[in-house]
Amino acid sequence: MRDKHFYDFLHRQIPVLIVLSLFPGLGYLFLGWLNGIFVPAFIWYLLVIAVSLWGYRLYRGLDFDTMSEGRRDRWYRQYSWFFYAFFTLWTLIFLLYVGQDAYKLHYIAIFTEIGASVVASSLLASDRRLYRPTIFILMVPLIVYFFLIGEWYGYVLTAFACTLTWVLLYAARSSHDLLMKAYHQATHDGLTSLYNRHYFVEHLQKRMNSLGESSEFSYLLLIDLDHFKTVNDSLGHDVGDRLLQDVVTRLQQQLPAGDVLARLGGDEFIITGGDFGDRAACERAALELAENLIARLKEAYVVDSHHLYISASIGVSIISGRGANAGTFIKEADIAMYEVKAKGRDGVFMFNEEMSARVESRLETERLLHFALGNDEITLHFQPQLDRTGRIVGVEALARWNNATLGAVSPAQFIPIAEQTGLIVELGNHILETGFRTLRAWHDAGIELDQFSINISMRQFTHLDFEAQVAALAQRYLDAGLRRKLTFEITESIVAEDINRVILVMNRLKAVGIRFSMDDFGTGYSSLSYLNRLPLDELKIDRAFVSALGHQEEGRTMVATIVNMSTALKLKIVAEGVETAEQFDFLVAHGCQVFQGYYFSQPLTSEQFLTYYRQRQ
Ligand code: C2E
Ligand code: CA
Ligand code: CA
């Protein structure tokens, strides 16, 4: 037990012992003067003062947070010698006074020795290496003294003194065990018996102080299990706990000697270790360790006859003594770990500065996005959709965010952030309202469209209020005829949701008149059988396939296949991202009906669209 609490405890004992020695020491000096042994008593007292000064220096010399492990060990050794010396001084005064039985000073001497032993056993209980020798230093001379009396009562006192020694040792050991137990509970995790966050942070700080002196490097691995929550939620916490224990066993098996492993909480673990003279070697070792850990963790687990598979995301940061504190490095590893999660989990990343800049800019975007709606910074642009004759048949509404500090932010950037923060519900609602209002206004201005498409994010779609909000807005802005022009674009990720509920909601909205389009078709993983179950009206060929048309044989095959398939499924087909006449011609030749892309027009503001519409008709 060598952590901050331990040192704090030791530290507090120094002034206690100095005060307990300097003041009663004066009494002994006085007694010595009264009984004619002033000179030896005075010398003794000078020694007490000297040792006290030494103790005071030790007291001032401890600064736990900045000391390296080596310096702390040195401090501790000196501290031990200080205590041995102090208690030896008390044995010395005992030896001096116990001979003075003519003046009855020996009573005082005997009492002093017993008192000092009691003080030692209680003050030093936290450390076996301190209380054992000091109790012996104090009690053995007393036992010998009683024994040397040579009379029957001397032997009785010897027996008593031995018993007292045993009791003191016993009491000190019990307090010590209790302290150790409390310490263990405060520094370890109950479920896995690994060190906890509290201990780890302290350990890391110590390591960093040492690295600061040696200018070496260590690594820090932050391990987060992927989809552990699913196991917990679907199979129960008992299975989850057992799985965690198995994970810990595997981690321990892979752990290089001398590395420290701790559980930060939940399904997060952290490892630090290694002493490397150069940074590159440290990075190599860290990545190798991380890869071994991932490979081992991915092997099948059998818990309660369930066969489970999990993977892990690991963030690595390299630590050195450079000024920072332990928390900074844990945060760096955390950022790297989140980067792994964002890139699809099951992997390892090393922290770098560019990563932290990205995180910061993301946080800033997130913060500003919260005010975007209130400040009316989100608007809609509209990209025309045309048929093969060039008639404008519809538009797709695309969100735009114009911010004073960030400038124009792409929806590809802010929509995912809005989804992750839950802001998409409010934002989506605003987009729906703006879209519906525009459709209404255009209709009143004599613009006749077949369809008006709005992108719906999955998180927005699955929100419990979605249906009610759409119904309320439709009620407010659109009559039955206009509602039938609405198309909601959803993406293939929707099939990862509760498919039956998705179908239910889609059918209810279809009853209102709304049609559905599968956006970015071909980029996701949805199977045909799923696709067939969804009540879709339209497929949008992803612009990646369209742009591949000119130069890749596969692009052409892919587009032809999608068009054939949608014909079989009786779905309307829209090609997006059409940029050239060649692409357009190919798509027309293969039976595509609706076209959207820069070849015809960029997304336009509402006014721009009105002008464009009037020019084309
Ligand atoms: P998307 O639904 O696939 O939208 C089409 C994107 O392609 C738009 O980008 C559009 O400007 C762009 N585009 C159109 N024609 C061409 C072309 O010929 N060539 C190329 N290279 N690009 C073309 P934008 O507006 O930046 O939107 C990006 C994505 O953001 C959208 O992809 C959509 O997933 C999402 N998004 C946009 N608005 C909304 C919205 O209101 N709600 C939701 N949930 N998502 C939106
Ligand atoms: Ca779209
Ligand atoms: Ca698309």
Side-chain angles (χ1 to χ4, degrees):
M1 147 171 171
R2 303 294 285 275
D3 74 334
K4 191 170 164 67
H5 295 291
F6 175 73
Y7 279 93
D8 273 352
F9 185 82
L10 297 182
H11 196 226
R12 281 200 305 273
Q13 309 313 322
I14 300 178
V16 174
L17 203 66
I18 291 178
V19 171
L20 275 180
S21 298
L22 282 178
F23 289 101
L26 283 175
Y28 287 84
L29 200 60
F30 181 62
L31 287 173
W33 175 66
L34 279 185
N35 298 296
I37 44 169
F38 179 73
V39 175
F42 183 70
I43 294 172
W44 174 80
Y45 195 70
L46 284 181
L47 285 172
V48 169
I49 292 175
V51 176
S52 297
L53 285 173
W54 177 25
Y56 181 71
R57 255 195 52 214
L58 278 174
Y59 183 76
R60 296 295 303 269
L62 180 74
D63 183 4
F64 184 87
D65 293 326
T66 64
M67 280 164 94
S68 69
E69 211 144 356
R71 270 181 55 208
R72 264 181 222 165
D73 283 342
R74 276 199 297 286
W75 184 88
Y76 176 76
R77 271 199 301 281
Q78 286 195 24
Y79 176 88
S80 305
W81 284 113
F82 161 72
F83 268 90
Y84 299 150
F86 232 150
F87 284 105
T88 306
L89 278 181
W90 282 102
T91 297
L92 210 68
I93 197 78
F94 163 77
L95 292 176
L96 186 64
Y97 283 17
V98 81
Q100 309 292 323
D101 41 350
Y103 307 108
K104 311 289 183 227
L105 273 183
H106 62 298
Y107 289 132
I108 288 171
I110 292 165
F111 177 80
T112 304
E113 202 68 343
I114 293 172
S117 307
V118 173
V119 168
S121 77
S122 52
L123 285 192
L124 305 180
S126 66
D127 192 356
R128 215 167 259 170
R129 279 184 299 178
L130 280 178
Y131 73 73
R132 280 200 182 143
T134 35
I135 289 176
F136 282 114
I137 289 173
L138 292 163
M139 287 306 284
V140 170
L142 190 65
I143 293 168
V144 172
Y145 167 75
F146 285 148
F147 188 79
L148 289 180
I149 292 175
E151 305 257 358
W152 65 269
Y153 68 88
Y155 300 127
V156 172
L157 284 171
T158 307
F160 282 176
C162 287
T163 313
L164 180 64
T165 307
W166 178 80
V167 169
L168 288 175
L169 286 171
Y170 175 80
R173 206 190 66 211
S174 303
S175 317
H176 179 256
D177 290 350
L178 220 73
L179 276 169
M180 291 304 284
K181 208 169 132 198
Y183 170 73
H184 187 89
Q185 277 167 357
T187 54
H188 286 70
D189 165 57
L191 175 68
T192 61
S193 295
L194 293 180
Y195 289 121
N196 60 16
R197 174 187 288 269
H198 166 82
Y199 175 89
F200 188 84
V201 171
E202 220 157 67
H203 170 80
L204 193 61
Q205 191 64 53
K206 272 196 273 184
R207 284 287 309 143
M208 284 171 44
N209 296 343
S210 308
L211 291 172
E213 284 174 15
S214 64
S215 63
E216 283 178 327
F217 299 92
S218 288
Y219 49 72
L220 191 69
L221 267 61
L222 189 75
I223 305 160
D224 191 286
L225 305 181
D226 300 328
H227 304 298
F228 175 73
K229 198 174 168 298
T230 320
V231 175
N232 244 351
D233 291 348
S234 54
L235 299 176
H237 288 257
D238 283 347
V239 174
D241 284 355
R242 299 259 293 287
L243 179 62
L244 279 182
Q245 282 160 344
D246 285 359
V247 164
V248 168
T249 312
R250 293 187 190 184
L251 290 176
Q252 278 166 334
Q253 286 164 352
Q254 303 289 312
L255 201 67
D259 282 20
V260 171
L261 166 66
R263 182 180 177 205
L264 286 188
D267 57 349
E268 256 188 16
F269 300 91
I270 194 159
I271 292 175
T272 188
D275 277 299
F276 295 89
D278 95 293
R279 194 184 177 95
C282 186
E283 289 182 355
R284 271 198 305 279
L287 288 177
E288 195 184 327
L289 174 61
E291 268 150 25
N292 288 342
L293 290 174
I294 291 178
R296 184 80 179 91
L297 291 179
K298 272 161 91 170
E299 291 167 19
Y301 298 78
V302 183
V303 181
D304 266 358
S305 73
H306 297 288
H307 284 252
L308 304 172
Y309 297 88
I310 50 169
S311 54
S313 302
I314 302 184
V316 180
S317 82
I318 299 300
I319 62 179
S320 59
R322 54 163 168 101
N325 65 25
T328 314
F329 290 107
I330 297 181
K331 204 171 135 210
E332 288 184 358
D334 207 39
I335 288 173
M337 195 271 288
Y338 269 96
E339 199 73 7
V340 179
K341 295 258 180 208
K343 296 265 155 65
R345 299 157 206 271
D346 182 19
V348 47
F349 271 134
M350 174 90 53
F351 172 84
N352 58 41
E353 289 306 325
E354 181 204 328
M355 229 177 239
S356 92
R358 236 185 349 254
V359 167
E360 252 159 52
S361 104
R362 211 200 105 100
L363 284 177
E364 176 67 359
T365 312
E366 196 179 309
R367 195 180 68 77
L368 292 172
L369 189 58
H370 273 99
F371 304 108
L373 281 180
N375 296 345
D376 218 13
E377 295 170 0
I378 308 279
T379 55
L380 284 184
H381 279 201
F382 305 92
Q383 189 171 33
Q385 297 176 330
L386 296 87
D387 69 8
R388 54 179 64 204
T389 67
R391 188 175 72 92
I392 299 170
V393 292
V395 291
E396 176 182 3
L398 293 160
R400 294 289 176 263
W401 177 23
N402 260 301
N403 180 270
T405 12
L406 301 175
V409 187
S410 156
Q413 200 184 334
F414 73 82
I415 295 285
I417 295 178
E419 285 187 325
Q420 276 161 30
T421 55
L423 206 69
I424 190 69
V425 176
E426 219 182 314
L427 180 66
N429 214 27
H430 170 80
I431 291 169
L432 282 175
E433 181 163 4
T434 315
F436 287 13
R437 248 201 341 245
T438 309
L439 176 58
R440 168 92 237 175
W442 287 354
H443 175 77
D444 293 347
I447 308 275
E448 278 310 320
L449 297 173
D450 296 346
Q451 70 170 19
F452 189 97
S453 298
I454 298 178
N455 293 286
I456 305 294
S457 100
M458 190 193 71
R459 177 115 187 236
Q460 184 188 3
F461 183 91
T462 52
H463 193 267
L464 286 176
D465 288 342
F466 181 64
E467 218 184 300
Q469 278 172 344
V470 172
L473 288 171
Q475 177 79 24
R476 204 160 135 203
Y477 295 102
L478 309 171
D479 57 29
L482 284 179
R483 280 175 215 170
R484 274 196 293 278
K485 296 186 191 296
L486 287 176
T487 300
F488 282 177
E489 294 188 5
I490 55 176
T491 55
E492 287 171 274
S493 57
I494 203 110
V495 303
E497 298 298 311
D498 174 357
I499 189 82
N500 291 319
R501 202 181 95 80
V502 168
I503 294 173
L504 190 79
V505 175
M506 281 174 81
N507 278 325
R508 290 214 201 115
L509 288 169
K510 284 179 82 86
V512 178
I514 293 164
R515 281 175 291 180
F516 283 92
S517 173
M518 182 58 82
D519 202 357
D520 303 341
F521 184 73
T523 57
Y525 301 97
S526 61
S527 68
L528 262 183
S529 64
Y530 263 111
L531 207 64
N532 209 13
R533 286 180 65 192
L534 295 175
L536 291 170
D537 305 273
E538 179 186 286
L539 285 189
K540 287 190 91 168
I541 306 179
D542 190 66
R543 65 176 176 277
F545 301 122
V546 176
S547 73
L549 278 180
H551 45 93
Q552 274 178 339
E553 181 56 38
E554 299 98 85
R556 285 192 285 275
T557 322
M558 190 73 190
V559 169
T561 313
I562 294 175
V563 176
N564 286 339
M565 202 181 71
S566 54
T567 317
L569 293 171
K570 299 194 176 56
L571 299 175
K572 185 180 181 188
I573 183 115
V574 180
E576 65 179 358
V578 182
E579 293 182 350
T580 65
E582 293 75 52
Q583 289 167 352
F584 177 64
D585 293 341
F586 180 92
L587 290 161
V588 169
H590 282 79
C592 192
Q593 297 139 334
V594 180
F595 312 87
Q596 177 186 344
Y598 296 167
Y599 179 53
F600 309 100
S601 169
Q602 300 253 341
L604 306 168
T605 63
S606 181
E607 297 78 55
Q608 287 170 334
F609 176 75
L610 290 178
T611 316
Y612 178 80
Y613 182 86
R614 293 195 171 117
Q615 278 168 1
R616 300 282 297 208
Q617 290 319 98

